[in-house]
Amino acid sequence: MKYTDRRNRAPNVLETCVAIMTIIGIGFVLSKAATVAIPFMLSFLLSMLFFPLIKWGAKKRIPTLVMVFVVMASLVAVLLPLGIFLNSRVQGMVDILPVYYMKLVDIGRTLLIQFDLPRDFWVTINWYNTIGRYVSGMTGFMLNWLGTMVMMLVFLVFMLLESPTAENRLRLAFRGENGRKMAMIAGKIVTQISKYLRTLAVISFATGCCVWASLTLIGVDFALTWGVLAFFLNFIPTIGSIAASIPPILVAIVQFYPNWVPAILAFLSLLTIQFTIGNIMTPKIMGDALDLSPVVILISLMYWGLIWGFSGALLSVPIAVMIKIICENVPQLHFIAMMMCSAKEERYAELLDD
């Protein structure tokens, strides 16, 4: 029997329109419920990362409460110093802002003379207040994230406490073959996403270390801060690495002006790091484990980023993976999974011949 013959009919125009309207409606609801939905989804994501550890503890007859305590203590031990570090670095940026502003004014005057630019271009923009608001706004952003992190940890505690019995509850809720299938889907989601997060964390750590080391050798200010920024933004596909590279290059331009060599070296080093890790190492390490089309990843990034901002961008790939796995195991939705996958040409031939 052909592969396409095993699946139900494709949806008609009405069903497609209803599906699109449903997606828009869900997006609207989730955007309004972001205060609760974001920490819930972050905790759900982390619970899948730590679920294998909780399961291992259960096999070793270690009480779930003890394992949860170890996980939460480890998270607090990492997040608390990190929050203090980021706050101190932002404060350092605010303190040094007047020095950078004076250099920026000198650069502006030089450009006005060299390129005969209209003076109104530089005078009408209050660069000091603009940059100051941007840097100071980072403190408010981190305070909002602190509240999100606290709520996320609360959700995470209860999710981890209930994780050992989750599979049994699924089998009881959906008895027979449906129960077995639901447990299989859940297990597949946990396995793929936990593997993705662990691998991406290692890759992001390597990226952050390389960025920090290269910028330190060049002498760019706040090199450690840019390394930490590169670590976090590397979790955002496609645009994360680009966004992490822009601030240190701009800082290098202002810091070393009129000497352009350090800024060029910073640009080339960051380009080399992101190209090597992002385009060579990451595909080899990750492989086709996610089996997601790059177009699907980009669409998911834009959709969830529009709804939840930075948090949505972080969650975009795991959510796309969950949707794809669910669609793979629901006959009526299998065509969606096929459209989402990144199957190679040889795999297309295999699937069509099944």
Side-chain angles (χ1 to χ4, degrees), residues 241-253:
S241 58
I242 299 175
S245 302
I246 294 175
I249 293 174
L250 294 178
V251 168
I253 292 174

Side-chain angles (χ1 to χ4, degrees), residues 52-116:
L53 181 62
I54 302 296
K55 193 174 182 179
W56 174 85
K59 290 182 179 179
K60 298 295 182 179
R61 300 184 182 277
I62 302 176
T64 303
L65 187 61
V66 174
M67 295 301 299
V68 172
F69 176 79
V70 171
V71 169
M72 300 308 297
S74 302
L75 278 176
V76 172
V78 172
L79 294 177
L80 185 60
L82 181 62
I84 296 173
F85 165 77
L86 291 176
N87 184 66
S88 65
R89 302 310 291 179
V90 171
Q91 186 59 47
M93 289 181 181
V94 173
D95 293 339
I96 204 174
L97 181 60
V99 176
Y100 273 83
Y101 178 69
M102 294 306 300
K103 291 184 177 181
L104 185 62
V105 170
D106 291 337
I107 294 174
R109 289 172 179 169
T110 304
L111 292 176
L112 286 176
I113 296 173
Q114 289 182 350
F115 298 98
D116 194 25

Side-chain angles (χ1 to χ4, degrees), residues 18-240:
V18 170
I20 295 174
M21 293 176 65
T22 302
I23 293 173
I24 296 174
I26 292 174
F28 177 78
V29 172
L30 290 176
S31 65
K32 296 300 181 182
T35 306
V36 177
I38 290 175
F40 177 82
M41 286 302 300
L42 287 172
S43 59
F44 182 65
L45 195 63
L46 284 177
S47 68
M48 287 188 283
L49 177 63
F50 293 116
F51 177 74
L53 181 62
I54 302 296
K55 193 174 182 179
W56 174 85
K59 290 182 179 179
K60 298 295 182 179
R61 300 184 182 277
I62 302 176
T64 303
L65 187 61
V66 174
M67 295 301 299
V68 172
F69 176 79
V70 171
V71 169
M72 300 308 297
S74 302
L75 278 176
V76 172
V78 172
L79 294 177
L80 185 60
L82 181 62
I84 296 173
F85 165 77
L86 291 176
N87 184 66
S88 65
R89 302 310 291 179
V90 171
Q91 186 59 47
M93 289 181 181
V94 173
D95 293 339
I96 204 174
L97 181 60
V99 176
Y100 273 83
Y101 178 69
M102 294 306 300
K103 291 184 177 181
L104 185 62
V105 170
D106 291 337
I107 294 174
R109 289 172 179 169
T110 304
L111 292 176
L112 286 176
I113 296 173
Q114 289 182 350
F115 298 98
D116 194 25
L117 295 174
R119 294 184 178 274
D120 292 342
F121 171 77
W122 199 260
V123 174
T124 55
I125 301 177
N126 193 333
W127 295 97
Y128 186 82
N129 288 341
T130 302
I131 299 173
R133 282 199 305 269
Y134 175 76
V135 176
S136 300
M138 293 175 64
T139 304
F141 172 79
M142 287 191 294
L143 288 176
N144 290 333
W145 256 83
L146 178 61
T148 301
M149 290 297 104
V150 172
M151 190 177 297
M152 179 201 72
L153 293 177
V154 173
F155 279 129
L156 183 60
V157 169
F158 290 100
M159 287 183 181
L160 291 179
L161 287 173
E162 294 189 0
S163 60
T165 61
E167 184 175 342
N168 292 332
R169 288 203 302 271
L170 279 174
R171 292 183 180 275
L172 290 173
F174 303 91
R175 291 184 178 274
E177 180 64 22
N178 288 335
R180 185 197 65 79
K181 195 169 186 178
M182 290 298 297
M184 183 268 294
I185 293 173
K188 195 172 180 181
I189 290 174
V190 171
T191 300
Q192 285 203 15
I193 292 183
S194 60
K195 180 182 178 182
Y196 165 75
L197 290 176
R198 288 195 303 269
T199 307
L200 187 58
V202 174
I203 294 173
S204 299
F205 182 76
T207 302
C209 290
C210 291
V211 169
W212 166 67
S214 62
L215 293 180
T216 300
L217 290 175
I218 297 171
V220 179
D221 287 341
F222 309 108
L224 184 57
T225 304
W226 307 132
V228 174
L229 182 68
F231 168 78
F232 281 111
L233 292 184
N234 200 61
F235 283 87
I236 300 177
T238 309
I239 65 173

